[in-house]
Amino acid sequence: MKWRNYPQNIKVRLITSFFNRTVSSAVMPFMALFFAQELNKVFAGVFLLITVLISFFVNLVGGYISDRFRRKKVLVLTSSLSAISFLIMTISLFPQSKLIFLFALAYTTFIITSSLGRPAMHAIIMDSTTPENRKEVYALDYWLVNLSMALGAALGGLLYVSHQMELFILLTLTSICLPIAYQIWLKDEGQERLKKGHANVFLDLIQNYKIAFQDKPFVKVVLGSMFIFSAEFSLNSYIGVRLADTFEGVSIGDFEIAGVRMLSILNIENMLLVVFLTFFINRLTDRFAKKKVLIVGLLIYATGYITITSANTLMVLILFNFIATIGELIYSPLWNAEQANMIPENKRGSYSAFANISFSGADMIARSMIILGAFLVPTMMSVYIGMILLFGIVLLYSGLFMRKAF
């Protein structure tokens, strides 16, 4: 399907998300550094942990809201509030002595409003696609996500230290454009809205997620995804810490590659492979049965991450990071599409919010590996991540393709 044949809502969703994520990726990774420099490391750690928890619970509320009300209205309102939050964050940086607590309050407000709107953004793709073209659209979305993050990382690396104010002004202007774009171009199509089941809104919200939790195949997919994603998330947690401590520097001419720089090379390699190979891999896998594609992709992905968890030489790390990324490119669009096909039409926002557990849980598993890695040698950590991945693959496969048994 060519770009001109895409539904208008898909075009609006992909374009606005691309620009928003590009500018956000230039700023958000530096928030821990910002708060640590302006206040202290303890405050930065505690504050950011609290915002992660807030984001998780607000995201569940956002899923409920996106099914109960028109998604266009939800997106216009939440993106408008996010724009105001960014404006306040930018204004708080102008005084000589920055208004840090005002900045922190505005940042928390942004986390809340963006988490409320995120399920509606995910649901739009499901609303505007069919099971036949959904994999293709998710492949394009996956490509744009990685391209925007790569551009954002480059933009942040160039501008954050020396042009911080200009970067926040750019982010504010971009965020102001989003609700305007939604209002003008996003079509309010015939969305099947969720009916209120209880007079008490809180009980209605709990009942809504109780239904999702009782959907055993979908719960298996979410849990399986959580275990699978934990390997990828460990790259910037356990693997990054291990490389910083144990990787022996390699000199290529005057250029020295130490642990931290090695981690950067792996991340850059991952992004470049995604940008240049996504569509080629997607066309290649269309020729084969979905079940085989998923299993092959996951096994290749697992082989890569099991190896780089303990590998400590330059070429082995680069080679198996390549293998892991190819596996990810094979399974990811198919996983996205098949998970979306499982979701009831009137609960797309709620199920999308519930599915976010896979990312939050994977992040927690990856961070816990840092603690476990203090007691286990790297080869044992490879065995550990291998067991987690095997368990995740079994859960994901059975949830997607063995539903009739439940």
Side-chain angles (χ1 to χ4, degrees):
M1 185 166 61
K2 295 181 179 180
W3 175 260
R4 65 173 178 269
N5 297 326
Y6 277 50
Q8 183 167 314
N9 280 3
I10 291 293
K11 293 179 181 178
V12 174
R13 155 66 165 82
L14 294 176
I15 292 172
T16 54
S17 294
F18 174 79
F19 284 105
N20 183 46
R21 195 178 287 109
T22 298
V23 185
S24 297
S25 298
V27 174
M28 293 305 151
F30 295 98
M31 285 298 97
L33 177 63
F34 176 86
F35 287 113
Q37 288 177 336
E38 298 297 334
L39 293 169
N40 58 68
K41 293 180 180 178
V42 175
F43 176 87
V46 173
F47 174 72
L48 292 176
L49 179 61
I50 291 171
T51 59
V52 169
L53 293 174
I54 290 173
S55 175
F56 173 73
F57 289 107
V58 172
N59 187 67
L60 295 177
V61 177
Y64 173 78
I65 290 173
S66 71
D67 285 336
R68 289 273 289 112
F69 305 98
R70 292 292 180 191
R71 302 202 219 282
K72 179 176 179 177
K73 290 183 178 179
V74 172
L75 286 174
V76 170
L77 178 59
T78 55
S79 59
S80 298
L81 293 172
S82 292
I84 294 171
S85 301
F86 277 125
L87 179 61
I88 296 172
M89 288 164 69
T90 303
I91 292 172
S92 68
L93 297 176
F94 273 99
Q96 189 68 30
S97 56
K98 298 171 183 177
L99 305 174
I100 302 304
F101 288 102
L102 178 62
F103 183 96
L105 179 62
Y107 176 76
T108 306
T109 304
F110 161 72
I111 293 296
I112 292 172
T113 55
S114 62
S115 297
L116 281 173
R118 192 175 300 118
M121 289 297 294
H122 289 308
I124 283 175
I125 288 185
M126 288 179 269
D127 290 339
S128 305
T129 56
T130 63
E132 290 71 31
N133 63 18
R134 200 164 276 155
K135 179 174 179 281
E136 180 184 341
V137 174
Y138 274 118
L140 177 58
D141 184 49
Y142 176 76
W143 181 78
L144 286 171
V145 166
N146 282 274
L147 178 61
S148 63
M149 290 177 67
L151 292 174
L155 191 66
L158 291 171
L159 301 179
Y160 180 81
V161 175
S162 55
H163 297 87
Q164 186 184 85
M165 185 63 67
E166 290 84 349
L167 199 55
F168 273 93
I169 291 173
L170 180 61
L171 183 55
T172 301
L173 292 174
T174 304
S175 63
I176 289 172
C177 292
L178 293 181
I180 298 172
Y182 294 143
Q183 185 62 44
I184 295 174
W185 289 297
L186 198 64
K187 293 182 179 179
D188 201 354
E189 296 175 335
Q191 165 199 341
E192 183 181 343
R193 283 186 282 180
L194 183 69
K195 295 180 181 179
K196 191 174 181 181
H198 291 272
N200 186 308
V201 175
F202 182 70
L203 290 176
D204 197 40
L205 187 148
I206 292 175
Q207 178 63 27
N208 187 49
Y209 283 102
K210 181 181 177 182
I211 294 172
F213 189 74
Q214 290 174 338
D215 187 341
K216 291 183 179 179
F218 192 77
V219 171
K220 284 190 171 190
V221 169
V222 171
L223 292 177
S225 302
M226 179 181 73
F227 292 123
I228 290 165
F229 295 158
S230 66
E232 181 183 353
F233 283 28
S234 70
L235 182 62
N236 288 308
S237 56
Y238 167 74
I239 296 173
V241 171
R242 182 185 65 76
L243 289 175
D245 290 341
T246 65
F247 184 76
E248 295 182 8
V250 178
S251 295
I252 303 176
D254 295 331
F255 185 75
E256 184 179 357
I257 302 174
V260 175
R261 189 166 283 173
M262 186 68 239
L263 178 63
S264 298
I265 290 172
L266 295 178
N267 278 312
I268 292 169
E269 180 190 13
N270 183 285
M271 288 184 181
L272 289 175
L273 288 171
V274 170
V275 169
F276 289 109
L277 294 181
T278 294
F279 300 115
F280 171 75
I281 296 292
N282 194 51
R283 285 195 298 270
L284 190 65
T285 56
D286 283 340
R287 304 175 186 176
F288 304 99
K290 293 177 181 179
K291 295 180 181 180
K292 291 182 179 179
V293 169
L294 185 76
I295 287 295
V296 169
L298 287 171
L299 290 177
I300 293 173
Y301 170 89
T303 300
Y305 276 108
I306 288 170
T307 304
I308 63 175
T309 297
S310 56
N312 219 30
T313 56
L314 176 68
M315 294 311 298
V316 172
L317 285 164
I318 290 176
L319 173 62
F320 280 89
N321 189 55
F322 173 86
I323 291 171
T325 305
I326 294 299
E328 182 184 346
L329 290 174
I330 292 172
Y331 90 80
S332 187
L334 178 61
W335 160 77
N336 261 314
E338 290 300 311
Q339 179 177 265
N341 292 339
M342 299 177 71
I343 298 176
E345 187 175 342
N346 67 333
K347 290 181 177 292
R348 283 171 173 165
S350 301
Y351 268 65
S352 296
F354 179 70
N356 195 57
I357 293 173
S358 61
F359 297 101
S360 303
D363 196 20
M364 293 178 65
I365 292 173
R367 292 180 189 279
S368 70
M369 287 176 65
I370 298 174
I371 301 171
L372 192 61
F375 302 97
L376 297 180
V377 295
T379 50
M380 288 304 298
M381 291 300 293
S382 282
V383 173
Y384 174 71
I385 198 67
M387 293 172 62
I388 288 177
L389 283 168
L390 178 61
F391 190 44
I393 291 170
V394 171
L395 282 174
L396 181 63
Y397 184 86
S398 63
L400 287 177
F401 298 117
M402 299 173 67
R403 281 175 258 171
K404 292 181 180 179
F406 300 95

